[in-house]
Coordinates of all heavy atoms in Angstrom, one line a residue:
V14 N -5.8 4.7 5.4 CA -7.2 4.4 5.2 C -7.4 4.1 3.7 O -7.0 4.9 2.8 CB -8.1 5.6 5.6 CG1 -9.6 5.3 5.2 CG2 -8.0 5.9 7.0
K15 N -8.0 2.9 3.4 CA -8.2 2.5 2.0 C -9.7 2.6 1.7 O -10.5 2.3 2.5 CB -7.7 1.1 1.8 CG -8.3 0.0 2.6 CD -7.7 -1.3 2.3 CE -8.2 -2.5 3.1 NZ -9.6 -2.8 2.8
P16 N -10.0 3.0 0.4 CA -11.4 3.1 0.0 C -12.0 1.9 -0.5 O -13.2 1.8 -0.7 CB -11.3 4.2 -1.0 CG -10.0 4.0 -1.7 CD -9.1 3.6 -0.6
R17 N -11.2 0.9 -0.8 CA -11.7 -0.4 -1.4 C -10.9 -1.5 -0.8 O -10.3 -1.4 0.2 CB -11.6 -0.3 -3.0 CG -12.6 0.6 -3.6 CD -14.0 0.1 -3.4 NE -15.0 1.0 -4.1 CZ -15.7 1.9 -3.5 NH1 -15.5 2.2 -2.2 NH2 -16.7 2.6 -4.2
F18 N -11.0 -2.7 -1.5 CA -10.4 -3.9 -0.9 C -8.9 -3.9 -0.8 O -8.4 -4.1 0.3 CB -10.9 -5.1 -1.7 CG -12.3 -5.4 -1.8 CD1 -13.0 -5.3 -2.9 CD2 -13.0 -5.7 -0.6 CE1 -14.4 -5.5 -3.0 CE2 -14.4 -5.9 -0.6 CZ -15.1 -5.8 -1.8
S19 N -8.2 -3.6 -1.9 CA -6.8 -3.6 -1.9 C -6.2 -2.4 -1.1 O -6.7 -1.3 -1.2 CB -6.3 -3.5 -3.3 OG -4.8 -3.3 -3.3
A20 N -5.1 -2.7 -0.4 CA -4.4 -1.7 0.4 C -3.7 -0.7 -0.5 O -3.3 0.4 -0.1 CB -3.4 -2.3 1.3
F21 N -3.5 -1.0 -1.8 CA -2.9 -0.2 -2.8 C -3.8 0.7 -3.6 O -3.4 1.7 -4.1 CB -2.1 -1.0 -3.8 CG -0.8 -1.6 -3.2 CD1 -0.9 -3.0 -2.7 CD2 0.3 -0.9 -3.0 CE1 0.2 -3.6 -2.1 CE2 1.5 -1.5 -2.5 CZ 1.4 -2.8 -2.0
F22 N -5.1 0.3 -3.6 CA -6.1 1.0 -4.5 C -6.4 2.4 -3.8 O -7.0 2.4 -2.7 CB -7.3 0.2 -4.6 CG -8.4 0.8 -5.6 CD1 -8.3 0.5 -6.9 CD2 -9.3 1.7 -5.1 CE1 -9.3 1.1 -7.8 CE2 -10.3 2.3 -5.9 CZ -10.2 2.0 -7.3
G23 N -6.1 3.5 -4.5 CA -6.5 4.8 -4.1 C -5.8 5.3 -2.8 O -6.3 6.1 -2.1
T24 N -4.6 4.7 -2.5 CA -3.9 5.1 -1.4 C -2.4 5.5 -1.8 O -2.0 5.3 -2.9 CB -3.8 4.0 -0.3 OG1 -2.8 3.0 -0.8 CG2 -5.1 3.3 0.0
Q25 N -1.7 6.0 -0.8 CA -0.3 6.3 -1.1 C 0.7 5.2 -0.6 O 1.9 5.4 -0.5 CB 0.1 7.6 -0.3 CG -0.6 8.8 -0.9 CD -0.1 10.1 -0.3 OE1 0.0 10.2 0.9 NE2 0.1 11.1 -1.1
L26 N 0.2 4.0 -0.4 CA 1.0 2.9 0.1 C 2.2 2.6 -0.7 O 3.3 2.5 -0.2 CB 0.2 1.7 0.3 CG 0.9 0.5 0.9 CD1 1.5 0.8 2.3 CD2 0.0 -0.8 0.9
D27 N 2.0 2.5 -2.0 CA 3.1 2.2 -2.9 C 4.2 3.3 -2.9 O 5.4 3.0 -2.8 CB 2.6 2.0 -4.3 CG 3.7 1.7 -5.3 OD1 4.5 0.8 -5.0 OD2 3.8 2.3 -6.4
L28 N 3.8 4.5 -2.9 CA 4.7 5.7 -2.8 C 5.5 5.6 -1.5 O 6.7 5.7 -1.5 CB 3.9 7.0 -2.9 CG 4.8 8.3 -2.6 CD1 5.8 8.4 -3.7 CD2 3.8 9.5 -2.6
V29 N 4.8 5.4 -0.4 CA 5.5 5.4 0.9 C 6.5 4.2 1.0 O 7.6 4.4 1.4 CB 4.5 5.4 2.0 CG1 5.2 5.2 3.4 CG2 3.6 6.6 2.0
L30 N 6.1 3.0 0.5 CA 6.9 1.9 0.6 C 8.2 2.1 -0.2 O 9.3 1.8 0.2 CB 6.2 0.6 0.1 CG 5.0 0.1 1.0 CD1 4.4 -1.1 0.4 CD2 5.5 -0.2 2.4
R31 N 8.0 2.6 -1.4 CA 9.2 2.8 -2.3 C 10.1 3.9 -1.7 O 11.4 3.7 -1.8 CB 8.8 3.2 -3.7 CG 8.0 2.1 -4.4 CD 7.8 2.3 -5.9 NE 6.9 1.3 -6.4 CZ 7.3 0.1 -6.8 NH1 8.5 -0.3 -6.6 NH2 6.4 -0.8 -7.3
R32 N 9.6 4.9 -1.1 CA 10.4 5.9 -0.4 C 11.2 5.3 0.7 O 12.3 5.8 1.0 CB 9.5 7.1 0.1 CG 9.0 8.0 -1.0 CD 10.0 9.1 -1.3 NE 9.4 10.0 -2.4 CZ 8.7 11.1 -2.1 NH1 8.4 11.4 -0.9 NH2 8.3 11.8 -3.1
M33 N 10.6 4.3 1.4 CA 11.3 3.7 2.5 C 12.2 2.6 2.1 O 12.9 2.0 2.9 CB 10.2 3.1 3.4 CG 9.3 4.1 4.1 SD 8.0 3.3 5.1 CE 9.0 2.7 6.4
G34 N 12.3 2.3 0.8 CA 13.2 1.2 0.3 C 12.6 -0.2 0.6 O 13.4 -1.2 0.7
V35 N 11.3 -0.3 0.7 CA 10.7 -1.6 1.0 C 10.4 -2.3 -0.3 O 9.8 -1.8 -1.2 CB 9.4 -1.4 1.8 CG1 8.6 -2.6 1.9 CG2 9.7 -0.9 3.2
G36 N 10.8 -3.6 -0.3 CA 10.5 -4.4 -1.5 C 9.7 -5.6 -1.2 O 9.4 -6.4 -2.1
T37 N 9.3 -5.8 0.0 CA 8.5 -7.0 0.4 C 7.4 -6.6 1.4 O 7.6 -5.7 2.2 CB 9.4 -8.0 1.2 OG1 10.5 -8.4 0.3 CG2 8.6 -9.2 1.7
V38 N 6.2 -7.2 1.2 CA 5.1 -6.9 2.1 C 4.7 -8.2 2.7 O 4.6 -9.3 2.1 CB 3.9 -6.2 1.4 CG1 4.2 -4.8 1.0 CG2 3.4 -7.0 0.2
V39 N 4.4 -8.2 4.0 CA 3.9 -9.3 4.8 C 2.5 -9.0 5.2 O 2.2 -8.0 5.8 CB 4.7 -9.5 6.1 CG1 4.2 -10.7 6.9 CG2 6.2 -9.7 5.7
L40 N 1.6 -9.9 4.7 CA 0.1 -9.6 4.8 C -0.5 -10.4 6.0 O -0.4 -11.6 6.0 CB -0.6 -9.8 3.5 CG 0.0 -9.1 2.3 CD1 -0.9 -9.4 1.1 CD2 0.2 -7.7 2.5
T41 N -1.3 -9.7 6.8 CA -2.1 -10.3 7.8 C -3.4 -9.6 7.9 O -3.5 -8.5 7.4 CB -1.5 -10.2 9.2 OG1 -1.4 -8.9 9.6 CG2 -0.1 -10.8 9.2
G42 N -4.5 -10.2 8.4 CA -5.7 -9.5 8.6 C -6.9 -10.3 7.9 O -6.9 -11.5 7.7

């Protein structure tokens, strides 16, 4: 759940992606 426009703003997305070894994001929506 994001509080603003960006999926990274105020969320743990960056932390989770780095823990998973993800270096690329594919955006839809």
Side-chain angles (χ1 to χ4, degrees):
V14 178
K15 64 182 174 69
R17 287 294 183 264
F18 298 117
S19 172
F21 289 96
F22 184 90
T24 74
Q25 292 187 316
L26 180 61
D27 181 48
L28 171 64
V29 175
L30 293 180
R31 294 190 190 280
R32 286 274 180 91
M33 296 176 70
V35 168
T37 300
V38 291
V39 181
L40 307 185
T41 65

